[in-house]
Amino acid sequence: MNRRTMLIPLAVLVMYVVAAVFAPLLAPDDPNAVTLARRLLPPGGGHLLGTDALGRDVLSRVIFGTRISLLVAAGAVLTGGVFGVAVGVIAGWRGGRIGAVIMRLVDVVLSVPFFLLAILVVAVLGPSLLNVVVCLALVRWPRYARVAHSATLQARGRGFVTAATATGAPAWWIVLRHVLPEVLPVAIVVGTLELGLMVIYEASLSFLGLGVQPPTASWGSILSDGQQYIASAWWLAAFPGIALFVLVLAANLLGDAARDRLDPAKRTEIPKARRGTRRQARRQPA
Amino acid sequence: MAAIAISARRRVRALPAGPRYLAGRLGQAVLALFGVTTIVFFALRLSGDPARLLVPEGASAADIERVREQLGLTDPLWRQYLSFLGGAVHGDLGFSYVQNRPATELIAERLPYTANLAVAALLLSIVFGVTVGVVTALKRGRWQERALMPVVLVGQAMPAFWTGLLLILVFSVGLRWLPSTGYDGPLSLLLPSVTLASLSAAAIARVTRGSVLEQLSRDYVRTARAKGAGTGRIVLRHLARNSAIPVLTVAGLELANLLGGAVVTEVIFAWPGLGQLTIQSVSARDFPVVQAIVVFASAVYIGINLLTDLLYGVIDRRVTVGGAA
Amino acid sequence: MIQRSLALVAAALCLGATACGIQPATAQRGPGTIVIDTANYPSTLDPGKQYDTDTYSVYRNIFDQLLRRDPKTNKVVPWLATDWKQTEPTTWRFTMRRGVTFSDGSPLTAGDAAYSINRILDKDYGSQQYANFSVITKATAEGGDLVVRTKVPSPTLLSYLTTLSVVPEAYVRRVGDKQFAVKPVGSGAYTLQEATSGSEVVLRANPRWWGPRTQIRTAVFRSVPNVASRVADLQSRRADLATGLTPDAADQIRRDKNLAIRSTPTERVAYLAFNTIKGGPSNDPRVRRAISEAIDYRALIANLQRGYAKPINSLVTPLAFGYDTSRPGYRHDPAHAKQLLREADAAGAKLVMATSPSFDPQIVQAIQADLSAVGLRVEIRNSDQATYLKKVQDPSRDWGSIRFGRWSCSCLDADGVLYPLFHTGEIWSSYSSRDFDRIVQQGRETTDPERRKALYRQAFDVLARDLPGVGLFQTYAIYGANTRLRWTPDAVESLFLDQMKVS
């Protein structure tokens, strides 16, 4: 993956963040302004992307929705990621019985059907933007825990960790200095891939009435509001759908690029590839 | 996802493959399962009252109390919990509040539908995902990769309710080729399984691609190439075997997920599987059924995980022999 | 591995191949068969247990009811009981139809009818319909007649007896309640052919039925929870009838010339209820009045309901006994609403609106917008139905200020709406008025129609003064149907197959 292909997804993400931050300046309308007399207007005319079932401007809702969707996705990835990595590293570093039990617990959490967990969380904690994030993080942290666990095990087996342990360095220092640098790149790769997925999950929660609170717009809530109009008002779901697709695409490309750059296993191979012939270099995964 | 490849290799090495290892893992699994069912048991009871959903709208507080008593919900929590545990040990997970039938029986009725759908979706996503993964890895940087990856990503970037409704609109309403909802015969399987497969195909394609790329850089492939072997033969002979493990891992995870019930897809296609049962019984706070589903889903998941672990050894002996590859 | 991948491809190809020789799903259907899409799978087939629309839609075809309503006039008419009289204020005597048999051949007697009532009253049986029949002390069979005794004189007894399905005592006792729910035997126009849990129930015409010959031979009730999927089923001819459509879906259906919308005003009322006890700003009657004047009723009916609704002047529909046509309608006057809010010192006040996904989110948001136009900040708190009920029905009454709901008592009577919604201490009521309590209690125990009407006029006066709630509109039931199906829906949303015909 070369620099150019990494720039495009980066630019897309930056664009989204800008849209989210400056939503009030960019949106032509109040995203929550209901006008029942102007409901379900097709794109064009006064509303560039049409209006929804309550006469609200779809463009404005998509722009404001970027805020919520990015917030939910980033929040879920960060919370789940930090927690998952912490659990995975602890399990991997301690190893033995404790490590094994932690990892079985991770398996079981992974095994509880997503929506069951989601409904429980939303029902127990009450519905809110924050709880959607909590809910997604709660469901997804085991994925990070798994990769962090195996990366930690791998790092533990390496010479420099063994050496550091032999010199009597404190465990927390070894973990910070030697293990985390091995774990984080893998976790970041998983995180970028999860980013898009979280937006989709939020949409599914909205579909079941468990997403963000109305009238707040998120891509997911616009999409699920639009599903019953799929045959009659395509614009309701098409535009948030496109926004979502581009984000998932960008996040995935970035994830691939990040993996190629950061994965320690691959990093060591980069110099080899440089030395090789041009044909071989192209075959390298670096 | 390369990380999964690493974890797979690691786990194989950590596999002393003895019955002791298996017993240990099972023990841990049972322990963890116990923890989760306990949490679910109490969390469920925090959040809503099944009796209120069962009575007609005009019922009085006394009517609700009557139903609660009938369901045994007026007992202290610890007694309810003990009687749940007592039953669970004997394989009795209680009666559905709503349907008044054994919870296990309800699950047994829905399982064939879910299993059918899950297996079909998994087959489709493996075929599609592996093909795309191999092609994009071999044609890295060429037009084939640029053309195929977005196709896979489209599936992944669309919520299931959206994909499903679009498919229904095109193939049922527009062309009238396939039934829109429900189950009668294998044809009904097609649209929901494609909807589900579109979600997991991307994950499988990604892992396959990563894994093939990794293998391509290995010496043995270069050697084979130097000997003049064609790409096709290399793929079949060497790559398939060596790339299989991570793909298998992901496929196993996906299958377990699918068996847990694909809620949204099942709702859209009115598919009478476990996913719908889950959402209905959670919404109705049908505690015995929810608990039974949690126990079942966790057991299946743990089982499949164990099975994939064991399969590593069968499929790729070379790795088991100390990662000599 | 190679063989394995080939096998996988082959399996996938198999899937693909079956997709090519496709038969349209409708081809397998006989001319006398109809397919009906409902949102939910019936929770039981035992008519003594639950009484919700998607459940009774199915089992009321397997069983006969003691009485029925005329689908056009909504009057109570003979069914299993051919005649009845009130022998004492608290005693009713019903003459039973002769020659009626259950589908297992056994005769249906007054004893079966009495058993069907007493079963619901039996605490150990745990019927969820108990509330509907709790006024009854005992039912007995006396000299071939059914005798029903009530605690107090009951004006609504006949209404509720239209919901009573008669079950065969001997069979139920023999097989037990659990088995009965799986293999129900009734005297109705249809018998159960097969049921696939969570998916569909197939009914077949009962050749022994006493009534006029039915035209539908087989009926398939399918549960399709998603509205858009039910619409697609109609459009792809997989279903002949779909229930519970939205007004916007109705617009889509109308574009297909082989499909039609069947709709009718029902006794279901869309309403707002206020928390007058712990609602914060809504404790003040002026704020409640301001809210009632902030709502644009006509826009709700014309734009959101697309005409599938009618304006009303109180919390019951014109179909209910006790509706007073002479009352003025609700007023939409935002300017006056603002003034009231200023007087109440509540301009810019914050209100919580409790709701759940089962209540139309579009209406909830439209109301939020109407209220924000007069300067009230409304926060919508959407929780899942179970949580919502627990919160709203909690005796502490600490659930917020406003909620939106739809109410139907299946009884066509003001009592079935006003009492549970506003009588002090009822689970739904966040209002308390001694006058009101006394009036509706009297209304419950008075059998003279004119005196009852006068009582409900008084009750509406109290409600108009205190405004613990607002009636938004009378809702229509919206069904989508294939034009081959001839059928007219009724006000209590019944789905009687014996009233349907196909061409």
Side-chain angles (χ1 to χ4, degrees):
Chain A
M1 187 84 46
N2 59 33
R3 224 165 266 269
R4 192 165 44 93
T5 38
M6 196 163 167
L7 270 181
I8 298 170
L10 256 183
V12 169
L13 281 190
V14 169
M15 202 181 78
Y16 275 133
V17 172
V18 168
V21 172
F22 298 104
L25 298 176
L26 293 169
D29 247 326
D30 175 355
N32 299 331
V34 171
T35 325
L36 291 187
R38 301 167 62 81
R39 64 197 298 265
L40 298 173
L41 294 180
H47 300 274
L48 196 59
L49 303 187
T51 61
D52 74 357
L54 286 165
R56 299 175 294 202
D57 183 57
V58 172
L59 175 61
S60 307
R61 285 183 75 72
V62 171
I63 292 175
F64 271 89
T66 313
R67 277 188 165 183
I68 303 297
S69 292
L70 284 192
L71 213 63
V72 166
V77 166
L78 281 180
T79 324
V82 168
F83 185 68
V85 165
V87 168
V89 168
I90 290 171
W93 184 256
R94 291 295 302 266
R97 194 158 290 233
I98 295 175
V101 168
I102 292 179
M103 290 321 286
R104 286 298 79 70
L105 190 70
V106 167
D107 277 350
V108 174
V109 175
L110 272 173
S111 73
V112 179
F114 166 63
F115 287 101
L116 202 158
L117 212 58
I119 295 172
L120 278 184
V121 171
V122 173
V124 174
L125 301 178
S128 73
L129 186 62
L130 180 70
N131 290 342
V132 171
V133 172
V134 169
C135 168
L136 292 177
L138 214 60
V139 179
R140 300 308 281 195
W141 69 266
R143 322 246 150 197
Y144 303 93
R146 277 194 153 191
V147 295
H149 178 243
S150 51
T152 307
L153 283 183
Q154 234 197 1
R156 258 180 72 183
R158 296 224 173 169
F160 49 82
V161 174
T162 326
T165 319
T167 60
W172 62 267
W173 190 82
I174 305 175
V175 168
L176 271 185
R177 184 74 183 73
H178 295 298
V179 177
L180 269 187
E182 299 289 310
V183 172
L184 281 184
V186 200
I188 288 171
V189 171
V190 175
T192 42
L193 299 176
E194 287 274 303
L195 205 64
L197 207 57
M198 290 304 98
V199 183
I200 306 260
Y201 271 45
E202 190 263 324
S204 304
L205 283 180
S206 289
F207 175 74
L208 296 171
L210 301 166
V212 298
Q213 294 288 289
T216 313
S218 74
W219 294 341
S221 70
I222 310 172
L223 269 172
S224 70
D225 286 350
Q227 58 94 11
Q228 65 157 312
Y229 299 98
I230 187 164
S232 55
W234 56 269
W235 56 93
L236 289 186
F239 296 116
I242 291 169
L244 177 55
F245 172 62
V246 173
L247 176 75
V248 173
L249 195 67
N252 274 285
L253 288 176
L254 212 63
D256 282 349
R259 180 187 57 205
D260 291 352
R261 276 167 176 257
L262 296 174
D263 190 336
K266 305 265 167 59
R267 256 189 329 213
T268 54
E269 284 171 14
I270 292 170
K272 239 193 282 173
R274 283 206 195 107
R275 263 186 274 119
T277 65
R278 196 177 285 176
R279 184 186 157 80
Q280 275 171 331
R282 210 176 54 217
R283 294 288 170 199
Q284 290 296 324
Chain B
M1 291 297 153
I4 288 179
I6 296 166
S7 98
R9 270 206 308 279
R10 192 271 311 158
R11 280 217 247 152
V12 172
R13 246 186 258 129
L15 221 179
R20 253 184 76 197
Y21 169 79
L22 264 182
R25 270 201 78 164
L26 271 177
Q28 294 157 6
V30 168
L31 211 71
L33 187 60
F34 171 77
V36 166
T37 39
T38 305
I39 293 169
V40 168
F41 183 93
F42 289 103
L44 266 178
R45 278 160 179 76
L46 274 180
S47 69
D49 178 356
R52 290 181 195 280
L53 292 149
L54 287 170
V55 296
E57 279 186 321
S60 66
D63 298 329
I64 291 175
E65 207 45 36
R66 217 176 118 103
V67 174
R68 285 174 57 82
E69 224 168 276
Q70 185 75 29
L71 300 177
L73 293 168
T74 43
D75 291 346
L77 266 186
W78 60 268
R79 186 172 294 164
Q80 292 181 44
Y81 181 62
L82 282 187
S83 84
F84 161 68
L85 279 189
V89 171
H90 297 103
D92 171 15
L93 294 169
F95 273 77
S96 160
Y97 297 159
V98 179
Q99 301 202 35
N100 206 21
R101 296 173 49 209
T104 40
E105 198 177 299
L106 290 178
I107 292 181
E109 276 172 359
R110 305 298 189 96
L111 187 59
Y113 292 95
T114 291
N116 222 325
L117 184 57
V119 170
L122 191 71
L123 286 182
L124 280 177
S125 55
I126 288 180
V127 169
F128 192 65
V130 168
T131 312
V132 169
V134 170
V135 170
T136 51
L138 292 179
K139 305 287 179 186
R140 190 177 161 81
R142 306 232 196 114
W143 66 267
Q144 288 97 328
E145 184 193 20
R146 297 210 181 99
L148 273 176
M149 273 330 266
V151 174
V152 182
L153 288 173
V154 168
Q156 199 191 22
M158 296 211 311
F161 59 83
W162 194 236
T163 318
L165 281 173
L166 271 181
L167 289 174
I168 290 178
L169 272 188
V170 173
F171 292 99
S172 306
V173 176
L175 298 168
R176 303 243 173 116
W177 285 356
L178 296 168
S180 42
T181 60
Y183 180 81
D184 47 25
L187 281 187
S188 301
L189 204 57
L190 219 57
L191 293 185
S193 57
V194 168
T195 304
L196 273 182
S198 75
L199 295 172
S200 35
I204 291 179
R206 179 175 297 283
V207 176
T208 311
R209 176 171 174 272
S211 161
V212 170
L213 281 178
E214 199 187 331
Q215 297 297 327
L216 276 176
S217 68
R218 298 277 168 103
D219 290 336
Y220 75 89
V221 175
R222 282 190 225 153
T223 317
R225 254 180 214 289
K227 282 186 188 158
T231 311
R233 277 184 64 187
I234 295 177
V235 169
L236 290 183
R237 273 273 167 81
H238 303 285
L239 291 183
R241 168 164 285 218
N242 289 310
S243 313
I245 286 185
V247 176
L248 195 74
T249 312
V250 174
L253 285 177
E254 293 290 330
L255 180 66
N257 274 341
L258 292 172
L259 280 178
V263 178
V264 174
T265 307
E266 287 188 6
V267 167
I268 291 287
F269 288 98
W271 193 263
L274 281 175
Q276 273 209 71
L277 186 67
T278 304
I279 190 106
Q280 283 158 1
S281 43
V282 176
S283 308
R285 297 298 189 273
D286 197 342
F287 299 153
V289 181
V290 178
Q291 281 148 203
I293 290 173
V294 171
V295 171
F296 170 79
S298 306
V300 165
Y301 194 90
I302 292 166
I304 286 182
N305 258 335
L306 267 176
L307 213 67
T308 32
D309 267 8
L310 292 179
L311 270 178
Y312 292 144
V314 179
I315 285 208
D316 197 329
R317 283 182 199 286
R318 277 197 288 181
V319 174
T320 335
V321 186
Chain C
M1 192 63 205
I2 299 163
Q3 284 98 327
R4 201 169 300 182
S5 5
L6 282 178
L8 291 185
V9 174
L13 284 181
C14 260
L15 270 175
T18 33
C20 300
I22 301 153
Q23 291 285 314
T26 43
Q28 316 150 356
R29 243 194 264 155
T33 301
I34 64 161
V35 175
I36 302 173
D37 274 13
T38 60
N40 303 295
Y41 186 77
S43 36
T44 177
L45 292 177
D46 177 348
K49 283 276 181 193
Q50 291 225 7
Y51 197 77
D52 56 79
T53 317
D54 288 338
T55 301
Y56 71 62
S57 291
V58 178
Y59 71 56
R60 290 217 287 177
N61 288 297
I62 304 176
F63 299 90
D64 277 313
Q65 290 70 52
L66 191 66
L67 302 166
R68 253 200 201 184
R69 280 185 191 279
D70 183 296
K72 291 199 183 67
T73 63
N74 290 316
K75 284 217 161 58
V76 175
V77 293
W79 200 250
L80 281 181
T82 51
D83 193 20
W84 56 90
K85 55 178 183 288
Q86 195 173 8
T87 51
E88 274 167 56
T90 58
T91 308
W92 295 73
R93 197 173 187 100
F94 297 85
T95 314
M96 299 299 292
R97 187 178 294 278
R98 289 179 189 199
V100 177
T101 58
F102 289 107
S103 61
D104 64 355
S106 60
L108 183 149
T109 65
D112 293 308
Y115 173 72
S116 306
I117 294 175
N118 293 331
R119 187 169 176 246
I120 293 174
L121 298 177
D122 178 9
K123 204 173 170 184
D124 292 332
Y125 172 64
S127 169
Q128 283 102 33
Q129 292 176 59
Y130 174 77
N132 291 348
F133 295 94
S134 56
V135 74
I136 300 176
T137 45
K138 198 172 173 55
T140 47
E142 293 174 17
D145 288 352
L146 168 72
V147 176
V148 176
R149 293 192 171 80
T150 58
K151 290 171 190 151
V152 290
S154 170
T156 50
L157 179 72
L158 291 182
S159 271
Y160 285 114
L161 288 179
T162 62
T163 70
L164 178 79
S165 293
V166 175
V167 301
E169 177 173 9
Y171 177 76
V172 177
R173 283 193 193 278
R174 194 173 70 240
V175 300
D177 292 332
K178 292 205 170 91
Q179 183 61 19
F180 178 58
V182 180
K183 282 202 164 62
V185 166
S187 65
Y190 291 81
T191 57
L192 175 69
Q193 185 173 329
E194 60 172 310
T196 311
S197 176
S199 177
E200 59 181 43
V201 176
V202 183
L203 302 186
R204 195 177 37 191
N206 175 8
R208 292 174 191 251
W209 193 48
W210 55 271
R213 191 183 147 74
T214 50
Q215 205 213 340
I216 309 278
R217 307 318 315 150
T218 310
V220 184
F221 287 86
R222 305 171 68 239
S223 68
V224 182
N226 193 41
V227 177
S229 305
R230 294 204 288 280
V231 170
D233 280 352
L234 285 171
Q235 289 170 329
S236 65
R237 311 291 180 255
R238 190 161 172 75
D240 299 291
L241 181 65
T243 68
L245 297 190
T246 60
D248 284 322
D251 280 358
Q252 281 179 51
I253 297 290
R254 272 214 230 84
R255 263 177 251 146
D256 188 328
K257 67 176 192 303
N258 290 316
L259 299 177
I261 287 297
R262 306 260 184 262
S263 76
T264 186
T266 65
E267 62 154 350
R268 202 173 287 273
V269 60
Y271 68 98
L272 284 184
F274 302 117
N275 190 343
T276 68
I277 295 169
K278 274 202 186 147
S282 65
N283 288 353
D284 187 330
R286 287 170 299 184
V287 174
R288 303 202 290 268
R289 181 157 313 277
I291 293 173
S292 82
E293 291 178 8
I295 292 163
D296 190 348
Y297 302 89
R298 281 179 51 196
L300 287 183
I301 292 172
N303 296 318
L304 278 190
Q305 290 297 117
R306 325 255 331 125
Y308 291 104
K310 262 190 199 163
I312 44 177
N313 63 23
S314 54
L315 283 137
V316 299
T317 70
L319 291 168
F321 177 92
Y323 187 82
D324 180 2
T325 44
S326 66
R327 306 193 71 80
Y330 293 102
R331 224 159 40 114
H332 173 52
D333 188 347
H336 187 245
K338 278 184 197 165
Q339 190 195 324
L340 279 170
L341 287 177
R342 272 194 304 275
E343 283 170 20
D345 201 21
K350 210 180 131 191
L351 298 174
V352 168
M353 188 165 180
T355 189
S356 90
S358 20
F359 303 113
D360 188 340
Q362 290 187 11
I363 290 177
V364 170
Q365 291 177 74
I367 287 167
Q368 180 190 38
D370 279 344
L371 297 191
S372 86
V374 298
L376 285 170
R377 288 180 298 144
V378 176
E379 183 200 330
I380 296 174
R381 259 190 224 152
N382 188 20
S383 32
D384 93 303
Q385 185 73 4
T387 317
Y388 168 82
L389 290 181
K390 193 176 179 184
K391 211 163 52 179
V392 167
Q393 300 181 346
D394 192 85
S396 72
R397 298 293 178 249
D398 192 12
W399 52 265
S401 305
I402 325 173
R403 61 180 185 83
F404 164 73
R406 288 177 193 260
W407 192 272
S408 161
C409 61
S410 302
C411 64
L412 297 172
D413 196 290
D415 171 64
V417 184
L418 299 188
Y419 194 96
L421 279 182
F422 300 114
H423 185 273
T424 306
E426 289 299 308
I427 52 174
W428 289 101
S429 165
S430 288
Y431 167 66
S432 183
S433 154
R434 244 185 236 163
D435 287 347
F436 180 80
D437 290 353
R438 183 177 43 77
I439 297 165
V440 290
Q441 190 64 45
Q442 271 184 323
R444 248 186 183 195
E445 296 167 10
T446 306
T447 40
D448 175 45
E450 286 315 309
R451 271 198 59 209
R452 279 193 87 216
K453 273 187 190 160
L455 282 169
Y456 286 113
R457 270 198 295 276
Q458 285 178 43
F460 288 127
D461 282 340
V462 178
L463 292 179
R465 184 191 72 209
D466 290 353
L467 272 177
V470 175
L472 295 172
F473 50 80
Q474 173 185 23
T475 46
Y476 282 41
I478 308 176
Y479 306 84
N482 195 301
T483 44
R484 75 192 265 266
L485 176 75
R486 274 174 295 137
W487 170 69
T488 320
D490 67 22
V492 284
E493 298 168 60
S494 13
L495 273 181
F496 287 117
L497 295 169
D498 59 273
Q499 294 170 351
M500 296 181 187
K501 286 190 163 57
V502 280
S503 50

